[in-house]
Amino acid sequence: MTDHLNTKRLHVITWGCQMNVYDSARMADVLAPIGYGPTEAPEAADMIILNTCHIRDRASEKVFSELGRLRVLKQAREAEGGRMILAVAGCVAQAEGKEILARAPYVDIVLGPQTYHRLPEMVALAARAGGAVIDTDFPTEQKFDFLPDEAAPQTPGGLSAFLTVQEGCDKFCSFCVVPYTRGAEASRKVASVLAEAKRMVAGGAREIALLGQNVNAYHGEGPDGSTWGLARLLYALADLGIPRLRYTTSHPRDMDDALIAAHRDLPALMPFLHLPVQSGSDRMLAAMNRKHKAADFMRIIERVREARPDMALSSDFIVGHPGETDADFADTMKLIREVGFALAYSFKYSARPGTPASGAPNQVADAVMDARLAELQAVLRQQQNDFNASCVGKTMDVLLTGHGRHPGQIAGRTPYLQPVHLQGDASVIGRIARVDISAAHPNSLSARLLDEPRLSASVSPLPTEEPACA
Ligand code: SAH
Ligand code: SF4
Ligand code: F3S
C-alpha cells in the first residue's frame, strides 16, 4: 500500500442524502494522494469542502449562511499569513455554481457531483490562479473509473459502508431537482462495484448499502459484456460473503421479479425495503409523473411480503403537491393505514426552481400543507412506535457498530435499521450478535446479548427464525 504523507488538513461538511456521504468520502480519497488528511476541526483545515443538497426549501440560503461562517475562518487564517481553500460541492453547486461565485467570491472551487475525480487539478489551479475554479460539467468519462485504486488508502467506510452503484435519474418527477443536479441515469460497471466492495470488506465492512437515486434501475456492464440488473449484482455480492446487504433508494417502477426473488433467496439481503411512494392518490401520482398507480405499489408490497415474510417497509411521502385536494390526501392516509410502515419520511411540498411543478397554477396553501403533514406524521409515528413495540421479546441478529452514549453501552442496528443499545464489552463491536429485544423507545430499542457473538466473515448469517416484528 502506498504511503502518502498527509501534510495538509481537509475538513468536509456533508449535507443531503447518503450519496453525498459516499461522495464526501471519495473526495477525501481523491485528495489523499496530494497530501490531504482528515480533520474534525474546520478552523484547523487547509481545505474545507461544503458538500451541499438542493432537494428542498431554502437550500441555497442555507449554503450562503454557512459560507459566511466559513469565510470568517478563512479570513482568520489569511490574517495569520496562511491559506485555506474553500470548495462548494454537491447539488447546490451543480445548480447554482455561477451564483455562488458571484455572491461569495471568496469561494475557491465550485464542483458538481460528477467531477470530483478532477479535484486534484482544481486544487492545483486554485492555488496557482488565485481566482476561482468552477467545474460543473457532466463529463463523458465516469468519475468511478478515476477514483483511487486498490493501492490508494481508502477513507474507511466503517462497519456499515455505502457504495454508490448508480447515479442520476431519468424519471423527471414533477417536483424533483435530482435529474438536473445529478444528471442522466448511469450505472457503474459490475467489476468496479465488486472491487470496491472487496476493499470495503477488507477495511472491516460487515454491511454494505448499495446507493443510487434509482438504485433498482441499475443496469451495469458485467464482466462478459452483458447487462446486469440490481438483483444479479446482489447475488454476486452475497457470494463474496458480505453478511449484510441493503440497497436504497428504489423506485416502484423498477421493482422487477428478479429483485423480489433476491429478497426470497438471499439471507444477507436485509428484510427492510425503502420504497418511496409519495402519494396514495392516482390523480396525484399522475400529476407527479410517477408513472405508477397506488394499486401497483400495493401489489409490489404484497409480493415483497410473500417473498420475505419478515419484511419491514419504509417510504417517502410528499403532502401538498400542486393540485392536491382533501380527497387526494385521504387516499394517501388510506394507503399508509393499509401498508403499515416501520419507518417513513414525509415532507411538505417545496417548489424547486426549474421543476415542472414549481410553475403549476394550483399551489396548495402553506397552512393546508402544515395541517396535512401533522396528520400524516401522527399516523406514521404511531406505526413506527407500534413496530418498535412489537419487536420486544423477539430475538434478532444485530450488527454492533460502536459505543453508546453511556459507559459500558454498545450501539448497533437491527436488520430493520432500528438503533439498538445493550450492555456489553467493547470486544463485541464489529460483530453480528444474537440479541433479545427487551424494550422499545420512540427511536431505538434496548437489548440483551444472548449467546457468544458470532464471529465475523467466516460465518454466514442466518435469517432470524422469528417472524418480523409487527
Ligand atoms: N429517488 C428517490 C427520492 C429522492 S429525493 C425516489 O424516487 O423516490 C428523497 C425524497 O425527497 C423524495 O422521495 C421525496 O419524498 C422528497 N422530495 C423530493 N423533492 C421534493 C420537493 N420538491 N418537495 C418536497 N419533498 C421532496
Ligand atoms: Fe427525483 Fe423522481 Fe428521480 Fe426520485 S425518481 S430522483 S423523486 S425525479
Ligand atoms: Fe440532495 Fe442531491 Fe442527494 S439534492 S438528496 S444531495 S442527490
Side-chain angles (χ1 to χ4, degrees):
M1 187 177 266
T2 323
D3 240 352
H4 298 291
L5 280 180
N6 290 331
T7 50
K8 288 171 278 187
R9 284 154 299 181
L10 172 70
H11 181 74
V12 187
I13 301 166
T14 307
W15 294 340
C17 62
Q18 290 111 326
M19 297 189 67
N20 264 13
V21 175
Y22 174 86
D23 289 350
S24 288
R26 296 295 79 78
M27 286 193 267
D29 285 346
V30 164
L31 290 169
I34 61 163
Y36 285 91
T39 175
E40 291 297 311
E43 64 284 357
D46 300 293
M47 176 166 179
I48 297 183
I49 301 176
L50 178 59
N51 196 7
T52 60
C53 171
H54 204 232
I55 202 79
R56 282 175 293 272
D57 279 354
R58 299 201 301 271
S60 36
E61 283 95 295
K62 200 175 153 203
V63 169
F64 286 113
S65 115
E66 182 72 5
L67 284 176
R69 195 179 72 85
L70 298 175
R71 178 191 199 176
V72 176
L73 302 182
K74 184 176 159 103
Q75 283 171 337
R77 173 64 61 85
E78 280 162 6
E80 292 163 2
R83 176 128 210 268
M84 181 187 279
I85 297 177
L86 197 49
V88 185
C91 292
V92 177
Q94 185 66 47
E96 296 181 17
K98 291 211 176 78
E99 202 194 330
I100 292 173
L101 290 184
R103 273 180 65 183
Y106 48 89
V107 167
D108 301 286
I109 297 173
V110 170
L111 72 154
Q114 305 307 346
T115 54
Y116 57 73
H117 55 292
R118 300 176 180 165
L119 255 173
E121 293 102 275
M122 295 182 217
V123 169
L125 261 178
R128 241 182 295 131
V133 178
I134 177 162
D135 192 344
T136 48
D137 272 8
F138 288 115
T140 47
E141 82 266 14
Q142 262 201 5
K143 66 188 173 201
F144 301 112
D145 294 338
F146 293 84
L147 297 180
D149 62 15
E150 269 134 287
Q154 279 282 309
T155 302
L159 289 162
S160 176
F162 292 137
L163 203 178
T164 295
V165 300
Q166 179 278 339
E167 281 255 3
C169 182
D170 294 339
K171 292 207 165 57
F172 291 92
C173 298
S174 60
F175 50 83
C176 182
V177 288
V178 169
Y180 313 97
T181 61
R182 291 263 165 184
E185 205 172 286
S187 295
R188 205 169 157 179
K189 289 192 182 107
V190 169
S192 159
V193 173
L194 295 181
E196 185 160 351
K198 284 182 192 160
R199 289 201 293 275
M200 286 175 161
V201 170
R206 311 291 332 277
E207 171 174 282
I208 294 184
L210 305 183
L211 300 183
Q213 282 302 340
N214 273 274
V215 72
N216 55 345
Y218 177 82
H219 56 282
E221 188 189 316
D224 56 352
S226 69
T227 302
W228 288 33
L230 185 67
R232 193 162 173 200
L233 186 65
L234 285 163
Y235 284 92
L237 287 162
D239 280 347
L240 295 180
I242 301 163
R244 286 185 160 203
L245 294 167
R246 303 180 182 277
Y247 61 90
T248 198
T249 296
S250 350
H251 192 289
R253 274 173 61 87
D254 297 309
M255 278 315 289
D256 60 17
D257 294 348
L259 189 53
I260 294 175
H263 279 286
R264 181 195 61 216
D265 295 344
L266 299 176
L269 186 54
M270 289 293 99
F272 179 91
L273 176 63
H274 180 67
L275 190 63
V277 63
Q278 317 298 354
S279 170
S281 149
D282 286 343
R283 233 175 54 82
M284 277 301 102
L285 289 169
M288 288 174 168
N289 195 29
R290 293 290 289 182
K291 299 205 176 77
H292 66 82
K293 297 199 156 125
D296 301 324
F297 180 80
M298 295 306 294
R299 177 74 191 123
I300 294 166
I301 299 303
E302 196 179 296
R303 293 186 57 212
V304 165
R305 280 177 165 158
E306 270 163 30
R308 186 81 204 232
D310 59 347
M311 183 70 84
L313 293 154
S314 160
S315 197
D316 291 346
F317 296 91
I318 296 179
V319 298
H321 180 278
E324 189 187 68
T325 62
D326 285 343
D328 294 317
F329 177 64
D331 286 344
T332 302
M333 295 299 285
K334 180 164 165 273
L335 179 141
I336 292 173
R337 290 203 169 89
E338 276 173 22
V339 175
F341 290 96
L343 189 71
Y345 302 89
S346 46
F347 312 99
K348 242 163 81 164
Y349 166 74
S350 155
R352 309 308 296 134
T355 58
S358 67
N362 41 5
Q363 302 287 322
V364 175
D366 214 44
V368 173
M369 288 202 265
D370 283 336
R372 287 181 188 163
L373 188 66
E375 191 179 333
L376 177 131
Q377 287 185 337
V379 174
L380 290 170
R381 159 67 52 187
Q382 187 58 49
Q383 291 190 345
Q384 184 178 333
N385 288 348
D386 292 348
F387 179 74
N388 286 351
S390 72
C391 293
V392 177
K394 298 254 156 64
T395 304
M396 292 186 197
D397 288 339
V398 168
L399 173 59
L400 299 170
T401 48
H403 291 280
R405 252 183 273 149
H406 305 294
Q409 198 183 49
I410 305 294
R413 292 257 174 189
T414 69
Y416 312 108
L417 278 185
Q418 296 141 300
V420 182
H421 295 105
L422 48 83
Q423 288 302 118
D425 189 81
S427 64
V428 298
I429 293 171
R431 294 178 182 176
I432 294 169
R434 190 142 266 234
V435 309
D436 192 15
I437 305 297
S438 50
H441 316 288
N443 297 307
S444 66
L445 302 172
S446 301
R448 274 187 302 267
L449 272 174
L450 276 180
D451 41 27
E452 270 301 288
R454 286 190 274 138
L455 287 169
S456 344
S458 55
V459 181
S460 63
L462 299 166
T464 50
E465 267 136 41
E466 274 68 26
C469 324

Coordinates of all heavy atoms in Angstrom, one line a residue, residues 92-157:
V92 N -26.3 21.8 -4.8 CA -26.5 23.3 -4.9 C -25.4 23.8 -5.8 O -25.6 24.7 -6.7 CB -26.5 24.0 -3.6 CG1 -26.6 25.5 -3.7 CG2 -27.6 23.5 -2.7
A93 N -24.1 23.3 -5.7 CA -23.0 23.8 -6.5 C -23.4 23.5 -8.0 O -23.1 24.3 -8.9 CB -21.8 23.0 -6.1
Q94 N -24.0 22.3 -8.3 CA -24.3 22.0 -9.6 C -25.4 23.0 -10.2 O -25.3 23.4 -11.3 CB -24.8 20.6 -9.7 CG -25.1 20.1 -11.1 CD -23.8 19.9 -11.9 OE1 -22.8 19.4 -11.5 NE2 -23.9 20.5 -13.1
A95 N -26.4 23.2 -9.3 CA -27.5 24.0 -9.8 C -27.2 25.5 -9.8 O -27.7 26.2 -10.7 CB -28.7 23.7 -8.9
E96 N -26.4 26.0 -8.9 CA -26.2 27.4 -8.8 C -24.8 27.8 -8.6 O -24.4 28.8 -7.9 CB -27.0 27.9 -7.5 CG -28.5 27.7 -7.7 CD -29.3 28.1 -6.5 OE1 -28.8 28.9 -5.6 OE2 -30.4 27.7 -6.4
G97 N -23.9 27.1 -9.4 CA -22.5 27.3 -9.3 C -22.1 28.8 -9.5 O -21.3 29.4 -8.8
K98 N -22.6 29.3 -10.6 CA -22.2 30.7 -11.0 C -22.7 31.7 -10.0 O -21.9 32.6 -9.6 CB -22.8 31.1 -12.4 CG -22.2 30.3 -13.5 CD -22.1 31.1 -14.8 CE -21.4 30.3 -15.9 NZ -22.3 29.2 -16.5
E99 N -23.9 31.5 -9.4 CA -24.4 32.4 -8.4 C -23.5 32.3 -7.1 O -23.3 33.4 -6.5 CB -25.8 32.1 -8.1 CG -26.6 33.2 -7.5 CD -27.9 32.9 -6.9 OE1 -28.5 31.9 -7.4 OE2 -28.3 33.6 -5.9
I100 N -23.1 31.2 -6.8 CA -22.2 31.0 -5.6 C -21.0 31.9 -5.8 O -20.6 32.7 -4.9 CB -21.9 29.5 -5.4 CG1 -23.1 28.8 -5.0 CG2 -20.8 29.4 -4.3 CD1 -22.9 27.3 -4.9
L101 N -20.4 31.8 -7.0 CA -19.1 32.6 -7.2 C -19.4 34.1 -7.2 O -18.6 34.9 -6.7 CB -18.4 32.1 -8.5 CG -17.8 30.7 -8.4 CD1 -17.0 30.4 -9.7 CD2 -16.9 30.6 -7.2
A102 N -20.6 34.4 -7.7 CA -20.9 35.9 -7.8 C -21.2 36.4 -6.3 O -20.7 37.5 -6.0 CB -22.1 36.1 -8.7
R103 N -21.9 35.6 -5.6 CA -22.3 36.1 -4.2 C -21.3 35.8 -3.2 O -21.3 36.5 -2.1 CB -23.6 35.5 -3.8 CG -24.8 36.2 -4.3 CD -26.1 35.6 -3.9 NE -26.4 35.6 -2.4 CZ -27.4 35.0 -1.9 NH1 -28.3 34.4 -2.6 NH2 -27.6 35.0 -0.6
A104 N -20.4 34.8 -3.4 CA -19.4 34.5 -2.4 C -18.0 34.4 -3.1 O -17.5 33.3 -3.3 CB -19.8 33.2 -1.7
P105 N -17.5 35.5 -3.5 CA -16.3 35.5 -4.3 C -15.0 34.9 -3.6 O -14.0 34.6 -4.3 CB -16.0 36.9 -4.7 CG -16.9 37.7 -3.9 CD -18.0 36.9 -3.3
Y106 N -15.2 34.7 -2.3 CA -14.1 34.1 -1.5 C -14.0 32.6 -1.7 O -13.1 32.0 -1.2 CB -14.2 34.5 0.0 CG -15.6 34.3 0.5 CD1 -16.0 33.1 1.0 CD2 -16.5 35.4 0.4 CE1 -17.2 32.9 1.5 CE2 -17.8 35.2 0.9 CZ -18.2 34.0 1.4 OH -19.4 33.8 1.9
V107 N -15.0 32.0 -2.3 CA -15.0 30.6 -2.6 C -14.0 30.3 -3.7 O -13.9 31.0 -4.7 CB -16.4 30.1 -3.0 CG1 -16.4 28.7 -3.6 CG2 -17.4 30.2 -1.8
D108 N -13.1 29.3 -3.5 CA -12.1 29.0 -4.4 C -12.5 28.0 -5.5 O -12.0 28.1 -6.6 CB -10.9 28.4 -3.7 CG -10.3 29.4 -2.6 OD1 -9.7 30.4 -3.0 OD2 -10.6 29.2 -1.4
I109 N -13.3 27.0 -5.1 CA -13.6 25.9 -6.1 C -15.1 25.6 -6.0 O -15.7 25.5 -4.9 CB -12.9 24.6 -5.7 CG1 -11.3 24.9 -5.9 CG2 -13.3 23.5 -6.6 CD1 -10.5 23.7 -5.4
V110 N -15.8 25.5 -7.1 CA -17.2 25.0 -7.2 C -17.2 23.8 -8.0 O -16.7 23.8 -9.2 CB -18.1 26.1 -7.7 CG1 -19.5 25.6 -8.0 CG2 -18.2 27.3 -6.8
L111 N -17.7 22.7 -7.5 CA -17.7 21.5 -8.3 C -19.0 20.7 -8.2 O -19.6 20.7 -7.1 CB -16.5 20.6 -8.0 CG -16.5 19.8 -6.7 CD1 -15.6 18.6 -6.8 CD2 -15.9 20.7 -5.6
G112 N -19.4 20.1 -9.2 CA -20.7 19.3 -9.2 C -20.4 17.9 -8.8 O -19.2 17.5 -8.6
P113 N -21.5 17.1 -8.6 CA -21.3 15.7 -8.1 C -20.6 14.8 -9.1 O -20.2 13.7 -8.7 CB -22.8 15.2 -7.9 CG -23.6 16.4 -8.0 CD -22.9 17.5 -8.7
Q114 N -20.5 15.2 -10.4 CA -19.9 14.3 -11.3 C -18.5 14.6 -11.7 O -17.9 13.9 -12.5 CB -20.7 14.3 -12.6 CG -22.2 14.0 -12.5 CD -22.5 12.7 -11.7 OE1 -21.6 11.8 -11.5 NE2 -23.7 12.5 -11.2
T115 N -17.9 15.6 -11.0 CA -16.5 15.9 -11.4 C -15.5 15.9 -10.3 O -14.4 16.3 -10.4 CB -16.5 17.4 -11.9 OG1 -17.1 18.2 -11.0 CG2 -17.3 17.5 -13.2
Y116 N -15.8 15.2 -9.2 CA -14.8 15.3 -8.1 C -13.6 14.5 -8.3 O -12.6 14.7 -7.6 CB -15.5 15.0 -6.7 CG -16.2 13.7 -6.5 CD1 -15.5 12.5 -6.4 CD2 -17.6 13.7 -6.4 CE1 -16.2 11.3 -6.2 CE2 -18.3 12.5 -6.3 CZ -17.5 11.3 -6.1 OH -18.2 10.1 -5.9
H117 N -13.6 13.6 -9.3 CA -12.3 12.9 -9.6 C -11.3 13.9 -10.1 O -10.1 13.6 -10.2 CB -12.5 11.8 -10.6 CG -13.2 12.2 -11.9 ND1 -14.5 12.7 -11.9 CD2 -12.7 12.3 -13.1 CE1 -14.8 13.0 -13.1 NE2 -13.8 12.8 -13.9
R118 N -11.7 15.1 -10.5 CA -10.8 16.1 -11.0 C -10.3 17.1 -10.0 O -9.7 18.1 -10.3 CB -11.5 16.9 -12.1 CG -11.9 16.1 -13.3 CD -12.7 17.1 -14.3 NE -13.2 16.4 -15.5 CZ -14.1 16.9 -16.3 NH1 -14.6 18.1 -16.0 NH2 -14.5 16.3 -17.4
L119 N -10.7 16.8 -8.7 CA -10.3 17.7 -7.6 C -8.8 18.1 -7.5 O -8.5 19.3 -7.3 CB -10.8 17.2 -6.3 CG -12.1 17.8 -5.7 CD1 -12.5 17.0 -4.4 CD2 -11.8 19.3 -5.3
P120 N -7.9 17.1 -7.7 CA -6.5 17.5 -7.6 C -6.1 18.6 -8.6 O -5.4 19.5 -8.2 CB -5.8 16.2 -7.9 CG -6.7 15.1 -7.4 CD -8.1 15.6 -7.8
E121 N -6.6 18.5 -9.8 CA -6.3 19.6 -10.8 C -7.0 20.9 -10.4 O -6.4 21.9 -10.5 CB -6.8 19.2 -12.2 CG -6.2 18.0 -12.9 CD -7.0 16.8 -12.8 OE1 -7.0 16.1 -11.8 OE2 -7.8 16.6 -13.7
M122 N -8.2 20.8 -9.8 CA -8.8 22.0 -9.4 C -8.1 22.7 -8.3 O -7.9 23.9 -8.3 CB -10.3 21.7 -8.9 CG -11.2 21.2 -10.0 SD -12.8 20.9 -9.3 CE -13.4 19.5 -10.1
V123 N -7.6 21.9 -7.4 CA -6.8 22.4 -6.2 C -5.5 23.1 -6.8 O -5.2 24.2 -6.4 CB -6.4 21.3 -5.2 CG1 -5.4 21.8 -4.2 CG2 -7.7 20.8 -4.5
A124 N -4.9 22.4 -7.7 CA -3.6 23.0 -8.3 C -3.9 24.3 -9.0 O -3.2 25.3 -8.8 CB -3.0 22.0 -9.2
L125 N -5.0 24.3 -9.7 CA -5.4 25.5 -10.5 C -5.8 26.7 -9.5 O -5.3 27.8 -9.7 CB -6.7 25.3 -11.3 CG -6.5 25.0 -12.8 CD1 -7.8 24.7 -13.4 CD2 -5.8 26.2 -13.5
A126 N -6.5 26.3 -8.5 CA -6.9 27.3 -7.5 C -5.7 27.9 -6.8 O -5.6 29.1 -6.5 CB -7.9 26.7 -6.5
A127 N -4.7 27.1 -6.5 CA -3.5 27.5 -5.8 C -2.7 28.5 -6.8 O -2.2 29.5 -6.3 CB -2.6 26.4 -5.5
R128 N -2.7 28.2 -8.0 CA -2.0 29.0 -9.0 C -2.7 30.2 -9.4 O -2.2 31.3 -9.3 CB -1.7 28.1 -10.3 CG -0.2 28.0 -10.5 CD 0.1 27.2 -11.8 NE -0.4 25.8 -11.7 CZ -1.2 25.3 -12.7 NH1 -1.5 25.9 -13.7 NH2 -1.5 24.0 -12.5
A129 N -4.0 30.0 -9.8 CA -4.7 31.1 -10.4 C -5.0 32.3 -9.5 O -5.1 33.4 -9.9 CB -6.0 30.6 -11.0
G130 N -5.2 31.9 -8.2 CA -5.7 33.0 -7.3 C -7.2 33.3 -7.5 O -7.8 33.8 -6.7
G131 N -7.7 32.9 -8.7 CA -9.1 33.1 -8.9 C -9.9 31.9 -8.7 O -9.3 30.9 -8.3
A132 N -11.2 31.9 -8.9 CA -12.0 30.7 -8.5 C -12.0 29.7 -9.7 O -11.9 30.1 -10.9 CB -13.4 31.1 -8.2
V133 N -12.2 28.5 -9.4 CA -12.3 27.4 -10.4 C -13.7 26.8 -10.3 O -14.2 26.5 -9.2 CB -11.3 26.3 -10.0 CG1 -11.4 25.1 -11.0 CG2 -9.8 26.8 -10.0
I134 N -14.3 26.6 -11.4 CA -15.7 26.0 -11.4 C -15.7 24.9 -12.4 O -15.2 25.0 -13.5 CB -16.7 27.1 -11.7 CG1 -18.1 26.5 -11.8 CG2 -16.5 27.8 -13.0 CD1 -19.3 27.5 -11.7
D135 N -16.2 23.7 -11.9 CA -16.3 22.6 -12.8 C -17.6 21.8 -12.5 O -17.7 21.0 -11.6 CB -15.1 21.6 -12.6 CG -15.1 20.6 -13.7 OD1 -16.1 20.4 -14.4 OD2 -14.0 19.9 -13.9
T136 N -18.7 22.2 -13.2 CA -20.0 21.6 -13.0 C -20.4 20.9 -14.3 O -21.6 20.8 -14.6 CB -21.0 22.6 -12.6 OG1 -20.9 23.8 -13.5 CG2 -20.8 23.1 -11.2
D137 N -19.4 20.3 -15.0 CA -19.7 19.5 -16.2 C -20.5 18.3 -15.9 O -20.4 17.8 -14.7 CB -18.3 19.0 -16.8 CG -17.7 19.9 -17.7 OD1 -18.2 21.1 -17.8 OD2 -16.7 19.5 -18.3
F138 N -21.0 17.7 -16.9 CA -21.4 16.3 -16.8 C -20.5 15.5 -17.7 O -20.8 15.4 -18.9 CB -22.9 16.1 -17.2 CG -23.9 16.6 -16.2 CD1 -24.7 17.7 -16.5 CD2 -24.0 16.0 -15.0 CE1 -25.6 18.2 -15.5 CE2 -24.9 16.5 -14.0 CZ -25.7 17.6 -14.3
P139 N -19.3 15.1 -17.3 CA -18.3 14.6 -18.2 C -18.7 13.3 -18.8 O -19.5 12.6 -18.2 CB -17.1 14.4 -17.3 CG -17.5 14.5 -15.9 CD -18.9 15.1 -15.9
T140 N -18.1 13.0 -20.0 CA -18.5 11.7 -20.6 C -17.8 10.6 -19.9 O -18.3 9.5 -19.8 CB -18.0 11.7 -22.1 OG1 -16.7 12.2 -22.1 CG2 -18.9 12.6 -23.0
E141 N -16.6 10.9 -19.3 CA -16.0 9.8 -18.5 C -16.7 9.6 -17.2 O -17.3 10.5 -16.7 CB -14.5 10.1 -18.3 CG -14.2 11.0 -17.1 CD -14.0 12.5 -17.5 OE1 -14.5 12.9 -18.6 OE2 -13.6 13.3 -16.6
Q142 N -16.7 8.4 -16.7 CA -17.3 8.1 -15.4 C -16.3 8.4 -14.3 O -15.2 7.8 -14.3 CB -17.8 6.7 -15.3 CG -19.3 6.5 -15.6 CD -19.8 5.2 -15.0 OE1 -19.1 4.5 -14.3 NE2 -21.1 4.9 -15.3
K143 N -16.7 9.2 -13.3 CA -15.8 9.5 -12.2 C -15.2 8.2 -11.5 O -14.1 8.2 -11.1 CB -16.4 10.4 -11.2 CG -17.5 9.8 -10.5 CD -18.3 10.8 -9.6 CE -19.5 10.1 -9.0 NZ -20.5 11.0 -8.6
F144 N -16.1 7.2 -11.5 CA -15.7 6.0 -10.8 C -14.4 5.4 -11.4 O -13.7 4.7 -10.7 CB -16.8 4.9 -10.8 CG -18.1 5.5 -10.2 CD1 -19.2 5.7 -10.9 CD2 -18.1 5.7 -8.8 CE1 -20.4 6.2 -10.3 CE2 -19.3 6.2 -8.2 CZ -20.4 6.4 -9.0
D145 N -14.3 5.6 -12.7 CA -13.1 5.0 -13.4 C -11.8 5.8 -13.0 O -10.7 5.3 -13.3 CB -13.2 5.0 -14.9 CG -14.3 4.1 -15.3 OD1 -14.7 3.2 -14.6 OD2 -14.9 4.3 -16.4
F146 N -12.0 6.9 -12.3 CA -10.8 7.7 -12.0 C -10.6 7.8 -10.5 O -9.7 8.5 -10.0 CB -11.0 9.1 -12.5 CG -11.0 9.1 -14.0 CD1 -12.1 8.8 -14.8 CD2 -9.8 9.3 -14.7 CE1 -12.1 8.8 -16.2 CE2 -9.7 9.3 -16.1 CZ -10.9 9.0 -16.8
L147 N -11.3 7.0 -9.7 CA -11.1 7.1 -8.3 C -9.9 6.2 -7.9 O -9.5 5.3 -8.7 CB -12.3 6.5 -7.5 CG -13.6 7.4 -7.7 CD1 -14.8 6.8 -7.0 CD2 -13.4 8.8 -7.3
P148 N -9.2 6.5 -6.8 CA -8.0 5.8 -6.5 C -8.3 4.3 -6.4 O -9.3 3.8 -6.1 CB -7.7 6.3 -5.0 CG -8.4 7.6 -4.9 CD -9.6 7.5 -5.8
D149 N -7.3 3.5 -6.9 CA -7.4 2.1 -7.0 C -7.0 1.4 -5.7 O -6.8 2.1 -4.7 CB -6.6 1.5 -8.2 CG -5.1 1.8 -8.0 OD1 -4.7 2.2 -6.9 OD2 -4.4 1.7 -9.0
E150 N -6.8 0.1 -5.8 CA -6.5 -0.6 -4.5 C -5.3 -0.2 -3.8 O -5.1 -0.3 -2.6 CB -6.4 -2.1 -4.9 CG -7.7 -2.8 -4.7 CD -8.0 -3.8 -5.9 OE1 -8.3 -3.3 -7.0 OE2 -7.9 -5.0 -5.7
A151 N -4.4 0.4 -4.6 CA -3.1 0.9 -4.0 C -3.3 2.1 -3.1 O -2.5 2.3 -2.2 CB -2.1 1.2 -5.1
A152 N -4.3 2.8 -3.3 CA -4.5 4.0 -2.6 C -5.2 3.8 -1.2 O -6.0 2.8 -1.1 CB -5.3 5.0 -3.4
P153 N -5.0 4.6 -0.2 CA -5.6 4.4 1.0 C -7.1 4.8 0.8 O -7.5 5.7 0.1 CB -5.0 5.5 1.9 CG -4.4 6.5 1.0 CD -4.1 5.8 -0.3
Q154 N -8.0 4.0 1.4 CA -9.4 4.2 1.3 C -9.9 4.9 2.6 O -9.5 4.5 3.6 CB -10.2 2.9 1.2 CG -10.2 2.3 -0.2 CD -11.2 3.0 -1.1 OE1 -12.3 3.2 -0.7 NE2 -10.8 3.5 -2.2
T155 N -10.7 5.9 2.4 CA -11.3 6.5 3.6 C -12.2 5.5 4.1 O -13.1 5.0 3.4 CB -12.1 7.8 3.2 OG1 -11.2 8.7 2.6 CG2 -12.7 8.4 4.4
P156 N -12.0 5.1 5.4 CA -12.8 3.9 5.9 C -14.3 4.2 5.9 O -14.7 5.2 6.3 CB -12.2 3.7 7.3 CG -11.3 4.8 7.6 CD -11.1 5.7 6.3
G157 N -15.0 3.2 5.4 CA -16.5 3.4 5.3 C -17.1 2.9 6.6 O -18.3 3.0 6.8

